[in-house]
Amino acid sequence: SSPWSVGCETLDRDYAKFSAYKDFVGELGVKHARLQSGWAKCEKQKGVYEFEWLDECVYGLKEQGVEPWICLCYGNPVYGSEIRLGAGIAQLVHSEEALAAWQKYVEATVSRYKDVVHEWEIWNEPNSHGCEEYAILLMKTSESIKKADPNAVIFGMSLAGVGARFPEGVFEILKKNNKLDAFDYLTYHPYALNPDSSYPAVEALRQLTQSYNP
């Protein structure tokens, strides 16, 4: 019944090893865990997917009684986009080949795990990019997720900080394209030394969000 989630990220870039801490996750008592999908680690050769490493994480968490949810994120060098934090979106959305490959990858990933994973987040901390680039990515990725699993729950924004400028810009573009329903929940990373200090900004963000789509 725990509402808590734990971060099991960076496995896609080999900054951590799932097998080293798998057995401890269940002991925490949390019932959810966030993974990052790692396009570059899954598709090292164009059109060939290697999901074995992600299988270990997804099904390993399930074995621990923890529900995995996945952030679909980071670029892929084989399509000319970067995998580092804060990079990849512009290169991705402005390349017809890369964007088509990304959508195929998203559809393949969601199709593979839809019986276990029901919540999907679109990119990680995209607000160092332009609003237009992320809005395009958000709309296209949402379509691919829903194509693979019409019942999927979609998280958007995944903001670094709780500023309103970036999400407002994205909302305006979604509104013009009649795509305000492209995602179900807005996620954010406040990075506040004292969590209480972020709540006024969070409330402002909530009000902004609801002004576009209650």
Side-chain angles (χ1 to χ4, degrees):
S1 63
S2 171
W4 284 82
S5 182
V6 65
C8 290
E9 301 94 346
T10 76
L11 300 166
D12 58 310
R13 287 154 291 157
D14 297 321
Y15 294 157
K17 191 173 182 180
F18 181 71
S19 61
Y21 67 76
K22 169 189 170 183
D23 293 342
F24 299 105
V25 179
E27 293 182 8
L28 291 174
V30 300
K31 294 301 177 186
H32 307 270
R34 179 182 189 246
L35 295 169
Q36 291 167 319
S37 68
W39 181 23
K41 192 169 182 177
C42 291
E43 190 178 354
K44 298 175 182 177
Q45 179 182 342
K46 290 184 178 181
V48 179
Y49 302 125
E50 301 175 18
F51 285 115
E52 289 77 15
W53 74 273
L54 193 53
D55 286 349
E56 179 189 4
C57 304
V58 170
Y59 299 117
L61 287 171
K62 193 70 175 178
E63 288 174 14
Q64 294 291 312
V66 178
E67 298 292 329
W69 57 285
I70 294 180
C71 176
L72 298 158
C73 62
Y74 299 130
N76 192 332
V78 301
Y79 293 103
S81 55
E82 300 178 45
I83 62 174
R84 62 182 175 85
L85 180 65
I89 293 183
Q91 300 159 317
L92 173 55
V93 300
H94 292 306
S95 166
E96 186 175 331
E97 181 193 18
L99 186 56
W102 165 258
Q103 289 186 268
K104 288 181 181 178
Y105 161 71
V106 168
E107 188 175 341
T109 305
V110 176
S111 296
R112 186 178 185 88
Y113 299 116
K114 65 181 180 181
D115 292 336
V116 178
V117 179
H118 309 293
E119 298 167 326
W120 301 89
E121 186 175 52
I122 300 175
W123 216 260
N124 181 58
E125 301 189 349
N127 45 317
S128 59
H129 302 274
C131 297
E132 183 176 359
E133 285 83 2
Y134 181 66
I136 292 171
L137 182 75
L138 186 61
M139 291 185 286
K140 292 292 186 180
T141 307
S142 176
E143 290 174 3
S144 298
I145 294 172
K146 288 296 188 180
K147 183 178 179 181
D149 182 6
N151 297 316
V153 175
I154 300 176
F155 300 158
M157 302 289 184
S158 188
L159 301 171
V162 201
R165 184 175 179 180
F166 178 82
E168 184 172 15
V170 174
F171 279 134
E172 280 296 320
I173 297 168
L174 296 180
K175 183 178 180 180
K176 289 177 183 177
N177 287 273
N178 196 29
K179 291 287 188 178
L180 285 170
D181 61 349
F183 65 104
D184 303 294
Y185 292 93
L186 186 149
T187 51
Y188 62 90
H189 307 153
Y191 294 116
L193 294 178
N194 175 3
D196 292 351
S197 68
S198 67
Y199 295 153
V202 171
E203 184 55 35
L205 184 60
R206 184 198 305 275
Q207 291 178 9
L208 172 71
T209 302
Q210 292 180 341
S211 73
Y212 281 95
N213 189 343

